[in-house]
Structures are given as structure tokens and as C-alpha cells.
Amino acid sequence: MEASDIFYPSCFQGSWNALSKTTNIYAPCGYELFTGGKVAYDNAVQKEVKDGDTLQYRARFVTQSTNENDTGTYVAADREYNAKEIAKAAMGSYSIVDVSTATP
């Protein structure tokens, strides 16, 4: 991921239990552009908002260097770790497989 980090207060450093719940679904361009139309929108609201469970996962925040000389640090989300944890919580523990990087 190439985007710059969001800086968090130092008290965020470490691993945390996190909760995520869908509270609303919007169709800003109208139901016609929502895949499946109004019926699909209503089904998504019922399934994800009204009946949906709270997603529970681990989140990690780590110290990063501000530059190559390591003269300063900041706390940022560990994006790779957090994305894997969210995927495992949403789709099951076997949804993520660690594969070493291979080049052609």
C-alpha cells in the first residue's frame, strides 16, 4: 500500500481487541445502481444492519520511522496484519494463507 500512514497517539501502540458493526448502508446514486436494485438493497440492510453480527478481530499498531535516518518515530496501523485479521474474522481462519513472495 503506497498511501502515507495515519499517525496515531503513542498510547495506540500494541495489539488490541477490535469490534466493527455495520450501522447503515447508503445508495447515494439510487437503488437502480445498487447491484440487484431495491430488493437487494433491502436484503443487504436486513442481513448486515438489522441481523448482522459484530465483527471481532485483533488490530495492531506499530512504531514506524519518520525517515531513513531513524531520527524520529510515529505510531501507525499495521495494515497487512490488520487486513488479514479482518479477513479471517469475516471469512474464517482459512481465508488467509501465508505465501512467500515469488518473483518470475
Side-chain angles (χ1 to χ4, degrees):
M1 294 183 198
E2 298 299 323
S4 61
D5 286 324
I6 296 173
F7 291 50
Y8 291 91
S10 60
C11 61
F12 273 57
Q13 187 173 354
S15 294
W16 300 83
N17 291 322
L19 303 173
S20 179
K21 176 147 178 62
T22 302
T23 59
N24 207 342
I25 298 175
Y26 296 100
C29 295
Y31 302 120
E32 304 81 30
L33 296 179
F34 194 90
T35 304
K38 176 81 164 99
V39 172
Y41 173 82
D42 290 341
N43 289 339
V45 169
Q46 182 66 43
K47 181 181 178 196
E48 298 297 328
V49 177
K50 296 179 181 172
D51 299 339
D53 293 328
T54 300
L55 193 63
Q56 299 180 25
Y57 57 94
R58 296 287 291 170
R60 186 164 65 190
F61 296 85
V62 294
T63 301
Q64 299 287 339
S65 298
T66 55
N67 58 36
E68 296 175 6
N69 298 329
D70 292 333
T71 57
T73 61
Y74 63 94
V75 174
D78 184 339
R79 294 180 187 181
E80 181 179 0
Y81 175 86
N82 294 345
K84 287 180 180 180
E85 290 298 304
I86 291 168
K88 288 191 302 189
M91 297 181 283
S93 60
Y94 294 110
S95 64
I96 299 294
V97 178
D98 285 332
V99 179
S100 58
T101 303
T103 56

